[in-house]
């Protein structure tokens, strides 16, 4: 009893000091019609839970006169007695404490477990105004805030998180250190799924022209003999396109004409399609692997000098083909943010490497990889197409090789030089088209083998058909003993 009396005296002293400092504020709060009031109808030996915001108060109406008040931690909350049966509990700092009220006989009138949290009404009001269709609950835990509930998309979840961080920082433009105090436990409703169609289209045109004359022979005068041999290197391409040539001779001089022209067109088209949930990463790969000869490991099975050596090749594998990696985020209705990385590669004979096999005259050729890739983050509406990347490349190489001085002669100069011309033009474009999709029934989907069936023996042997179509909608099936339709290839 002595300990409780000492605590009560200290508490009453603190209450008197607080009442002198803020009587007008308390009276004003009492006069407010919207003040929160708790009425205690009878004695209550148990404790009630009361949540307060910082600098917020609650009005307590008690059934008997107050004689003594006990506040466990006045730094967190304080109690102000305004009349014999009315008191105010005011939140000062975040934390938890207890407040008890006693009568003149020392009996407990009421007790309250006070939890002082941050004032979150401002955050709740702003979130409700900015995101009216959301169902977000804002709760305080110590100095932090927990956001829970459901929203329609990930953009609204991020928007609610940004509002909470900004409000905790006092509404300033920067929110340094407040992001760790906000826990975003909001669940996105629906789980939108995004289907991405990527089109990689490339057309490449190569033109190579070679013209040259190889001269070889011997010129002599008396005992002096001059031997010469002029061979065209074709340095632009690196070698002659063909071994065919036209050869003519006159006395001891031999002339070989090499002329060749080559033109080619390469068309590359890849259209990978992939579907993923909003916010999740998806990967698609279609291709293969080709072996790469890294070298040989040679060893002898015997220590005898001159013993045969066995060599084993060291081989690794390299991927090539079409790969697609993307992460979609549905921002709002019809707006999608995409992080896309696509890669198309194929084998090429350009810059290939030839490795000789040890102990033999055989060689192994390692091909090179021709690769086109693009990586970007774009924002695009559902069903819209965007050129994510494009490249127009025009490369020309023109080399002249010949005998110095003689190749400059006006008429005879072409006999002593070669002309090598290469022109490469290519255009590459990568298009992306996202769609917000929903699950459908299996019967609404079509497969590549729909309508495919093996032909009958008479149709295969007599007509050369490799397949037949059956069950086509809106078409009357012919009698089984007759054949109707076009012969040859079936074009859909």
């Amino acid at each position: 009893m002595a300990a409780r009396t000492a605590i009560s005296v200290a508490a009453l002293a603190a209450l008197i000091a607080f009442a002198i400092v803020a009587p007008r504020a308390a009276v004003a709060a009492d006069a407010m019609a919207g003040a929160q009031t708790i009425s205690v109808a009878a004695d209550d030996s148990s404790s009630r839970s009361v949540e307060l915001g910082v600098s917020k108060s609650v009005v307590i109406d008690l059934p008997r006169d107050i004689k003594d008040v006990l506040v466990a931690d006045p730094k967190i909350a304080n109690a102000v007695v305004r009349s014999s049966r009315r008191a105010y509990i005011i939140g000062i700092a975040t934390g938890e404490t207890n407040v008890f009220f006693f009568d003149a006989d020392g009996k407990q009138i009421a007790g309250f477990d006070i939890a002082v949290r941050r004032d979150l009404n401002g955050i709740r009001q702003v979130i409700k105004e900015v995101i009216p269709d959301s169902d977000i609950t804002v709760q305080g835990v110590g100095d932090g805030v927990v956001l829970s509930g459901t929203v329609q998309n990930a953009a609204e979840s991020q928007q609610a998180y940004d509002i909470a961080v900004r409000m905790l920082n006092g509404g300033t433009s920067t929110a340094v250190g407040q992001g760790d105090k906000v826990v975003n436990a909001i669940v996105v409703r629906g789980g939108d799924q995004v289907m991405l169609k990527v089109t990689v289209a490339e057309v490449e045109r190569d033109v190579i022209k070679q013209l040259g004359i190889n001269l070889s022979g011997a010129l002599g005068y008396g005992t002096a003999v001059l031997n010469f041999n002029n061979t065209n290197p074709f340095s632009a391409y690196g070698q002659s396109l063909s071994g065919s040539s036209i050869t003519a001779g006159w006395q001891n001089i031999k002339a070989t004409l090499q002329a060749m022209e080559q033109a080619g067109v390469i068309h590359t088209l890849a259209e990978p399609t992939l579907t993923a949930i909003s916010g999740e990463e998806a990967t698609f790969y279609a291709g293969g692997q080709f072996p790469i000869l890294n070298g040989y490991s040679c060893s002898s099975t015997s220590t005898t000098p001159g013993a045969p050596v066995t060599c084993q090749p060291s081989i690794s594998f390299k991927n090539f083909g079409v790969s697609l990696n993307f992460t979609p985020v549905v921002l709002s209705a019809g707006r999608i943010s995409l992080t896309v990385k696509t890669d198309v590669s194929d084998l090429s004979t350009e810059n290939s490497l030839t490795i000789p096999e040890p102990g033999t005259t055989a060689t192994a050729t390692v091909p090179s990889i021709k690769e086109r890739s693009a990586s970007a983050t774009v924002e695009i509406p559902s069903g819209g197409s965007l050129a994510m990347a494009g490249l127009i490349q025009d490369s020309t190489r023109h080399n002249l090789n010949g005998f110095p001085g003689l190749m400059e002669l006006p008429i005879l100069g072409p006999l002593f030089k070669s002309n090598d011309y290469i022109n490469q033009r290519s255009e590459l474009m990568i298009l992306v088209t996202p769609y917000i999709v929903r699950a459908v029934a299996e019967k609404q989907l079509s497969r590549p083998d729909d309508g495919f069936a093996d032909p009958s023996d008479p149709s295969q042997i007599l007509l050369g058909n490799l397949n037949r179509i059956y069950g086509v909608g809106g078409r009357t099936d012919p009698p089984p003993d007759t054949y109707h339709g076009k012969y040859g290839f079936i074009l859909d």
Side-chain angles (χ1 to χ4, degrees), residues 148-159:
S148 59
T150 58
V151 293
Q152 294 182 354
N153 49 65
E156 293 183 352
S157 175
Q158 183 64 34
Q159 196 172 19

Side-chain angles (χ1 to χ4, degrees), residues 17 23 63 112 146 210 212 282 293 353 363 368 372 386 406 427 434 442 453 478 480:
F112 300 94
V146 177
Q210 293 181 345
L293 181 61
L353 180 63
T363 58
S368 62
R372 286 83 71 200
L386 180 66
L406 297 181
E427 182 175 358
E442 183 181 2

Side-chain angles (χ1 to χ4, degrees), residues 300-333:
S300 177
T301 57
S302 174
T303 58
T304 304
V309 177
T310 303
C311 297
Q312 297 293 334
S314 175
I315 297 176
S316 61
F317 291 88
K318 174 71 174 179
N319 293 333
F320 72 97
V322 179
S323 66
L324 172 63
N325 185 298
F326 85 107
T327 302
V329 176
V330 179
L331 301 178
S332 61

Side-chain angles (χ1 to χ4, degrees), residues 403-456:
F403 194 87
L406 297 181
M407 63 179 293
E408 304 296 337
L409 296 177
I411 298 176
L412 300 179
L415 299 176
F416 301 94
K417 66 180 179 182
S418 64
N419 191 339
D420 196 4
Y421 172 81
I422 298 177
N423 179 252
Q424 295 177 329
R425 296 180 180 179
S426 64
E427 182 175 358
L428 169 68
M429 180 172 290
I430 299 177
L431 306 176
V432 293
T433 305
Y435 300 92
I436 298 179
V437 297
R438 297 289 185 271
V440 298
E442 183 181 2
K443 63 181 181 180
Q444 298 180 359
L445 302 176
S446 60
R447 305 196 316 258
D449 59 342
D450 286 347
F452 176 86
D454 294 330
S456 61

